Amino acid sequence: MAGGFLPYHEPGTVDILIIVSFFFFLSLAKWVSATVIQAGIIGQIAVGIIYGVPLANILKYHWQETFVTLGYVGLILIIFEGGLGARVDMLKQNFTLSMISAATGVLFPIGLSYLLLYLGFGYGAVETFIIGASLSATSLGTTFAVISSASDSVNLAETRVGSVLVSAAVIDDVVGLVMLSVVADLGKLSGGDSVNLGWLIGRPIVASIGMAAVTPIVTKWVFAPFFRKFVEYRFARYDHISNIILMILVLSAFIAIAGFTGTSVLFGAFLAGVFLTYIPSKHPEGPFVVLSREEGERDEDKSPTFIHTFEKYLLGPQQYLMEPLFFSSIGFAIPFLELWTGERIWKGIVYTLLMAFAKCVVGIWVPIWQLALGGKSDTKLHEEQEIQGQQKIEGNNPSDEGQSDQEKGKTWKRTWLATILLGSAMVARGEIGLLIIETGYNETSYVSNEGFYTGIWAILLNTIIGPVGVGLLVRFYAHELKGGDWGVQRTPAISGYGSSEHGAV
């Protein structure tokens, strides 16, 4: 055995054919499931189950471990792209509604789990908490994949309900990381280890709040002014090259900060994307203000935006390599054969339906918000109150300008469609849920075999139900989802360097 280097040799013919067939069937399965049930990721998860340990175990074990790592990088890219495409103004305007939605999406699954698993099935209290915690996290990767797949019909990232969805899913992911920390610490406690439980649980909370609070401040008052004054006009010389270098540096920095401080690297990836979206000038003469990628590449004083650079260099590898590996790696982690006993099936299905309801109920805040505030965001409500006050001073009564019955009917139809969209998009679990329940099963003594398989059933089926529901909704009601208070929102007017229209990150 030679030392100091890896001996190069030709891979075996069988190995090559296995790899080729694996990626071919990933693409084929995505196309079939996207065509039939409007959710391409389901086919990729199925291929992962077949090729991985759960079923045929065709791929070598160390290949599967490598694909899990590469797939997680793909997940980071999915979320980074979501941050790049996020509307900062809409994230700000809908922050209150997003927080309420996220809290509902965490508390309902845990609370209903106690009703069914603890009181109904007789599982232990701590075991129920671990299983409920795993079902409280919304899959960020699935959420952004669903938004991306729907972009041909309606750009959900530009809709108000899509903005609420993204924010709530990100918050749920951070809470899920805290839950993961709690579960891991429960394992240490059950093993008799001496741990500072308060700090270990509080660390990800403090780190997440710290990043969420500090990032907007330093971005708005330090990085954005510095970038706009000293950097961005030099970027126009090098176009994509300077963009991609900065993107890699910023993404790596945010991932490192998030990981080493104890919060989620996925949260860091999202903040990195939003950070890059905010720092360029929004002035019409700014180099990053372009109508198309071609304009940024063609004009000497213009530069492609960061999302343009992502589309040119990273979108292809992400869509055809990294993203399929991520969803197939979820399939690797599903104990497929062990799920198929009568008791596990019926308990899993009952729990699945309850957990689907627990996330769907998040959508109820949309009609409540519509009734209470007329569907207006925090910022718009404040602006309209000022306008109405001025109208009253001038003797005009804004209440006289009521909607017709037909307009009200159309408004409420769109509101209920937004309700269903938000609820169904929150249903998908996935990577964080699997991490929590497998940590509880493998590293603590609290989760039994039956509890583990019940939770796995719910995670798997909800990850299927959610994208299918969103896909069908977008397929048949894309036009309605674009309009109204919850649809595509007008982009704020472009203003100068000091503009606060786009707000902080």
Side-chain angles (χ1 to χ4, degrees):
M1 179 70 181
F5 63 93
L6 179 68
Y8 183 84
H9 60 84
E10 184 182 69
T13 303
V14 174
D15 291 344
I16 294 173
L17 293 175
I18 288 174
I19 293 294
V20 170
S21 67
F22 176 63
F23 283 101
F24 169 73
F25 283 117
L26 279 177
S27 299
L28 179 63
K30 178 180 180 179
W31 177 80
V32 171
S33 57
T35 303
V36 176
I37 58 175
Q38 308 300 310
I41 66 173
I42 307 305
Q44 294 171 338
I45 294 174
V47 171
I49 292 174
I50 295 170
Y51 270 75
V53 172
L55 205 56
N57 201 21
I58 299 171
L59 297 173
K60 294 180 179 179
Y61 191 80
H62 62 274
W63 291 358
Q64 295 181 50
E65 291 182 319
T66 301
F67 290 161
V68 167
T69 303
L70 289 174
Y72 206 79
V73 175
L75 172 61
I76 290 173
L77 288 178
I78 292 172
I79 294 168
F80 180 57
E81 181 191 11
L84 288 174
R87 285 272 301 274
V88 180
D89 58 307
M90 289 173 59
L91 294 178
K92 284 181 58 184
Q93 292 172 5
N94 299 296
F95 180 75
T96 303
L97 179 57
S98 300
M99 287 291 293
I100 296 172
S101 300
T104 304
V106 171
L107 296 176
F108 263 72
I110 296 177
L112 293 178
S113 293
Y114 272 96
L115 287 178
L116 180 66
L117 302 184
Y118 181 65
L119 298 179
F121 294 168
Y123 294 170
V126 178
E127 179 182 19
T128 299
F129 171 77
I130 294 173
I131 299 171
S134 70
L135 271 298
S136 69
T138 298
S139 172
L140 260 185
T142 305
T143 299
F144 282 113
V146 166
I147 289 175
S148 177
S149 64
S151 60
D152 292 339
S153 302
V154 53
N155 187 355
L156 293 178
E158 291 287 330
T159 64
R160 186 177 173 208
V161 68
S163 174
V164 174
L165 167 63
V166 167
S167 301
V170 170
I171 296 168
D172 274 5
D173 175 69
V174 174
V175 174
L177 179 80
V178 175
M179 298 291 187
L180 179 62
S181 174
V182 172
V183 171
D185 296 337
L186 288 173
K188 296 175 183 178
L189 289 175
S190 64
D193 295 342
S194 177
V195 295
N196 186 343
L197 187 61
W199 169 242
L200 288 174
I201 295 175
R203 180 187 175 192
I205 300 175
V206 173
S208 301
I209 294 175
M211 281 196 73
V214 172
T215 300
I217 296 172
V218 297
T219 300
K220 183 172 184 177
W221 300 108
V222 179
F223 288 107
F226 178 83
F227 182 82
R228 295 171 185 180
K229 186 174 182 179
F230 298 107
V231 179
E232 69 176 358
Y233 283 95
R234 292 176 172 83
F235 269 43
R237 302 178 188 174
Y238 308 105
D239 291 342
H240 292 293
I241 301 300
S242 52
N243 281 9
I244 193 67
I245 292 174
L246 182 62
M247 288 165 66
I248 293 172
L249 292 175
V250 168
L251 178 59
S252 300
F254 272 85
I255 288 175
I257 293 170
F260 289 118
T261 56
T263 187
S264 170
V265 296
L266 305 181
F267 183 48
F270 180 76
L271 286 180
V274 178
F275 172 87
L276 289 169
T277 299
Y278 179 78
I279 58 173
S281 167
K282 307 304 184 292
H283 193 281
E285 297 180 359
F288 284 88
V289 180
V290 292
L291 296 177
S292 66
R293 192 175 95 185
E294 290 73 19
E295 179 186 349
E297 295 170 339
R298 181 184 64 248
D299 295 355
E300 292 185 1
D301 60 340
K302 292 291 185 178
S303 173
T305 64
F306 292 110
I307 192 67
H308 291 155
T309 300
F310 186 94
E311 291 171 353
K312 180 171 182 176
Y313 287 103
L314 299 176
L315 189 60
Q318 175 200 317
Q319 286 185 335
Y320 300 109
L321 178 65
M322 311 298 276
E323 183 179 312
L325 286 178
F326 165 64
F327 288 111
S328 65
S329 68
I330 292 180
F332 297 162
I334 302 295
F336 189 74
L337 294 177
E338 289 81 0
L339 297 175
W340 300 97
T341 67
E343 182 179 356
R344 291 172 183 172
I345 291 173
W346 78 260
K347 284 185 176 180
I349 292 176
V350 170
Y351 189 49
T352 294
L353 295 175
L354 186 65
M355 290 298 98
F357 168 77
K359 284 291 187 178
C360 283
V361 76
V362 172
I364 199 63
W365 288 108
V366 173
I368 291 175
W369 211 260
Q370 185 75 30
L371 280 171
L373 303 176
K376 305 302 180 185
S377 63
D378 301 340
T379 305
K380 287 185 177 179
L381 182 65
H382 178 69
E383 292 174 353
E384 289 196 358
Q385 286 173 343
E386 292 182 348
I387 293 172
Q388 289 177 5
Q390 184 64 30
Q391 287 176 331
K392 288 179 180 179
I393 293 173
E394 296 173 356
N396 297 326
N397 187 357
S399 63
D400 294 339
E401 302 173 3
Q403 289 182 313
S404 67
D405 291 341
Q406 185 177 2
E407 290 173 336
K408 288 181 180 178
K410 185 180 293 186
T411 296
W412 276 103
K413 179 182 179 181
R414 288 169 170 167
T415 299
W416 285 112
L417 287 173
T419 300
I420 299 171
L421 176 65
L422 177 60
S424 57
M426 292 287 287
V427 166
R429 275 46 170 210
E431 66 282 353
I432 302 298
L434 285 173
L435 277 173
I436 293 173
I437 198 167
E438 293 202 9
T439 299
Y441 182 67
N442 295 317
E443 299 182 16
T444 78
S445 59
Y446 297 110
V447 180
S448 64
N449 285 335
E450 296 307 312
F452 175 68
Y453 294 126
T454 300
I456 290 293
W457 262 115
I459 292 171
L460 176 61
L461 292 182
N462 276 288
T463 305
I464 295 173
I465 292 171
V468 171
V470 174
L472 293 174
L473 192 66
V474 170
R475 179 179 180 180
F476 294 108
Y477 297 102
H479 180 71
E480 287 85 349
L481 289 169
K482 292 179 183 178
D485 292 330
W486 302 95
V488 176
Q489 302 295 294
R490 179 177 57 86
T491 303
I494 296 174
S495 53
Y497 283 82
S499 172
S500 60
E501 281 279 329
H502 290 259
V505 177

